[in-house]
């Protein structure tokens, strides 16, 4: 593909332990923050090569108060949520991992999770309900917490701009659904504790904060997952150009490809995508990197293996052009081993 698509050298990811201890670039923390040992902060952020927001650590402290022995499971029996992903590092699970070569960016990465999504909580395994931080740019903090049910599709719903808000929203729904008085009382008790802690720490419990509304204004397209894509667009409108097809039409094109009875038919059905790939090349040449980003993301979200090769051409290049090289690495690794089950990379 055109558009300066030279691959960047990959960040050398050594074995899990080694990789996690290279923590020189993690900033020193202020004493007012959650009282968690510095080395754990550094390990969590170095393993993922992503900065984690303060609410992540404060929520761990909250769960420690609920269950000092096993904070990761503090909400399992009552709420049905387990703390996973970077929380596994705070819990020391990575020290017991069988494999020394863990790719943390695939740890609890569900089938439809784009590189922007980092799982931190898992719920009902039947629907593969999970929550995670959503970032537009790898070297910035998350813009909000989202939720997805991978067994139902690619849609990511917004749950507030911190983990307390997300769990509170989840709890509110659960309290309405649970009819057993005893279980309901337990949920209400957790809800009260969580609300009190969040207020003391100054976290908003709104599902849609002002900060999230401001981010919405920067979204150039919703994409199939509904979370929206953000790319820099300058005053001359350079940065993004629309795909020639609506979302509904693009889904029809994808369906025709997936449902084609023969390979010949499938090749014919691919013609509109081929044409769009040519438009993406022109767009990349003219610095409208958002077009290839959108097409690649939509095809990834459609979920069929027939699109993996095209996604592998579009997204790593788009991320590299947008200077989001960690996301390019994540999508390549995810496409190479995209699966629906066995997502816990630290499972014994």
């Amino acid at each position: 593909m055109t558009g300066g698509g030279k691959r960047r050298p990959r960040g050398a990811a050594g074995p899990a332990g080694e990789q996690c201890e290279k923590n020189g670039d993690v900033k020193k923390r202020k004493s007012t923050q959650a009282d968690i040992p510095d080395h754990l902060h550094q390990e969590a952020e170095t393993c993922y090569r992503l900065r984690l927001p303060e609410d992540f650590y404060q929520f761990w402290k909250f769960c420690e108060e609920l269950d000092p022995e096993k904070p990761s499971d503090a909400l399992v029996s009552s709420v049905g949520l387990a703390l996973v992903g970077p929380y596994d590092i705070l819990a020391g699970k990575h020290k017991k991992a069988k494999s020394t070569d863990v790719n943390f960016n695939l740890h609890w990465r569900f089938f439809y999770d784009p590189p922007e999504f980092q799982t931190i909580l898992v719920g009902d395994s039947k629907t593969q309900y999970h929550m995670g931080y959503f970032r537009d740019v790898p070297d910035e903090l998350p813009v909000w917490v989202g939720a997805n049910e991978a067994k139902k599709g690619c849609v990511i719903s917004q749950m507030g701009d911190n983990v307390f808000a997300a769990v509170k929203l989840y709890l509110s729904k659960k309290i309405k659904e649970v009819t057993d008085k005893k279980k309901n009382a337990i949920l209400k008790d957790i809800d009260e504790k969580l609300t009190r802690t969040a207020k003391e720490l100054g976290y908003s419990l709104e599902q849609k904060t002002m900060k999230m509304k401001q981010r919405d204004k920067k979204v150039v397209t919703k994409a199939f997952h509904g979370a929206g894509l953000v790319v820099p667009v300058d005053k001359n409108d350079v940065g993004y150009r629309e795909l020639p097809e609506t979302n509904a039409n693009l889904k029809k094109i994808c369906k025709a490809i997936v449902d084609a009875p023969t390979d010949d038919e499938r090749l014919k059905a691919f013609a509109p995508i081929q044409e769009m790939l040519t438009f993406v090349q022109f767009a990349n040449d003219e610095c409208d990197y958002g077009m290839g980003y959108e097409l690649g993301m939509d095809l990834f979200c459609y979920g069929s293996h027939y699109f993996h090769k095209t996604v592998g051409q579009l997204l790593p290049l788009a991320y590299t052009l947008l200077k989001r090289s960690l996301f390019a690495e994540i999508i390549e690794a995810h496409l190479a081993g995209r699966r629906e089950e066995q997502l816990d990379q630290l499972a014994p």
Side-chain angles (χ1 to χ4, degrees):
M1 291 194 75
T2 53
K6 275 173 82 177
R7 288 277 160 79
R8 297 192 167 194
R10 282 169 167 251
E18 223 178 275
Q19 185 184 329
C20 295
E21 276 150 33
K22 292 179 197 152
N23 50 26
D25 56 349
V26 179
K27 293 186 181 100
K28 274 281 171 240
R29 304 177 40 70
K30 288 184 278 200
S31 57
T32 52
Q33 294 164 327
D35 161 32
I36 283 169
D38 260 9
H39 73 92
L40 281 179
H41 278 277
Q42 291 177 343
E43 274 192 80
E45 299 189 6
T46 312
C47 283
Y48 278 89
R49 288 173 287 162
L50 292 166
R51 281 162 58 218
L52 289 156
E54 190 54 29
D55 62 271
F56 169 81
Y57 299 106
Q58 294 287 8
F59 193 74
W60 176 256
K61 295 304 289 179
F62 172 72
C63 290
E64 266 188 335
E65 282 164 26
L66 294 178
D67 184 347
E69 290 298 302
K70 274 196 164 177
S72 299
D73 296 343
L75 302 171
V76 172
S77 61
S78 53
V79 186
L81 290 174
L83 280 64
V84 298
Y87 282 124
D88 289 333
I89 294 158
L90 300 191
K93 283 186 188 165
H94 61 309
K95 298 269 201 295
K96 301 175 195 126
K98 259 197 310 200
S99 165
T100 52
D101 196 13
V102 176
N103 182 343
F104 279 92
N105 283 306
L106 294 182
H107 183 42
W108 288 107
R109 180 161 295 284
F110 286 80
F111 191 79
Y112 290 106
D113 291 352
E116 292 79 0
F117 193 95
Q118 177 189 26
T119 300
I120 55 170
L121 291 158
V122 293
D124 183 358
S125 58
K126 285 197 282 293
T127 63
Q128 291 191 328
Y129 182 92
H130 58 294
M131 291 187 207
Y133 287 122
F134 193 96
R135 291 170 180 77
D136 290 317
V137 182
D139 48 14
E140 288 176 13
L141 286 169
V143 285
W144 39 260
V145 176
N148 166 260
E149 291 178 291
K151 288 288 182 197
K152 294 184 181 177
C154 65
V155 174
I156 298 169
S157 48
Q158 298 184 4
M159 304 280 287
D161 73 1
N162 64 83
V163 67
F164 287 93
V167 174
K168 165 106 180 141
L169 190 65
Y170 184 85
L171 267 168
S172 311
K173 286 180 186 158
K174 196 105 177 148
I175 288 167
K176 283 177 193 154
E177 290 163 7
V178 172
T179 48
D180 182 302
K181 276 186 181 165
K182 210 171 174 183
K183 283 180 184 164
N184 205 288
I186 294 168
L187 290 173
K188 281 182 175 162
D189 180 54
I190 292 171
D191 185 50
E192 278 165 27
K193 284 176 180 162
L194 182 138
T195 305
R196 191 166 59 242
T197 306
K199 283 187 174 156
E200 280 166 10
L201 294 166
Y203 291 119
S204 162
L205 291 171
E206 290 173 71
Q207 185 175 0
K208 192 94 171 183
T209 60
M210 186 53 78
K211 196 173 80 176
M212 290 165 73
K213 286 173 188 163
Q214 284 166 345
R215 184 252 178 196
D216 281 353
K217 288 176 189 163
K218 295 187 215 161
V219 167
V220 291
T221 175
K222 278 283 190 205
F224 284 3
H225 57 40
L229 304 181
V230 170
V231 294
V233 177
D234 70 14
K235 58 180 187 297
N236 300 319
D237 250 6
V238 174
Y240 172 74
R241 68 177 71 168
E242 288 184 343
L243 291 174
E245 300 289 351
T246 62
N247 273 358
N249 277 355
L250 183 53
K251 282 177 185 167
K252 277 182 198 157
I253 292 164
C254 291
K255 189 172 175 3
I257 293 165
V258 173
D259 294 348
T262 65
D263 285 347
D264 278 355
E265 296 279 331
R266 188 166 290 114
L267 210 57
K268 281 180 197 153
F270 243 109
I273 302 277
Q274 282 306 133
E275 190 184 18
M276 278 189 263
L277 290 176
T278 307
F279 292 146
V280 167
Q281 289 184 3
F282 294 137
N284 282 344
D285 286 343
E286 291 164 26
C287 301
D288 287 331
Y289 306 141
M291 188 185 199
Y293 180 24
E294 180 181 8
L295 182 58
M297 186 56 72
D298 285 347
L299 295 178
F300 171 79
C301 287
Y302 199 81
S304 168
H305 65 93
Y306 289 121
F307 302 121
H308 282 184
K309 189 179 171 192
T310 311
V311 175
Q313 290 166 346
L314 287 165
L315 278 184
L317 175 59
Y319 285 131
T320 304
L321 294 170
L322 289 162
K323 299 185 172 59
R324 301 175 188 176
S325 56
L326 178 58
F327 288 169
E329 244 182 84
I330 293 172
I331 195 68
E332 285 180 321
H334 194 189
L335 289 172
R338 194 177 184 188
R339 54 183 190 226
E340 294 182 25
E341 305 295 338
Q342 294 166 322
L343 307 167
D344 181 356
Q345 303 284 317
L346 300 176

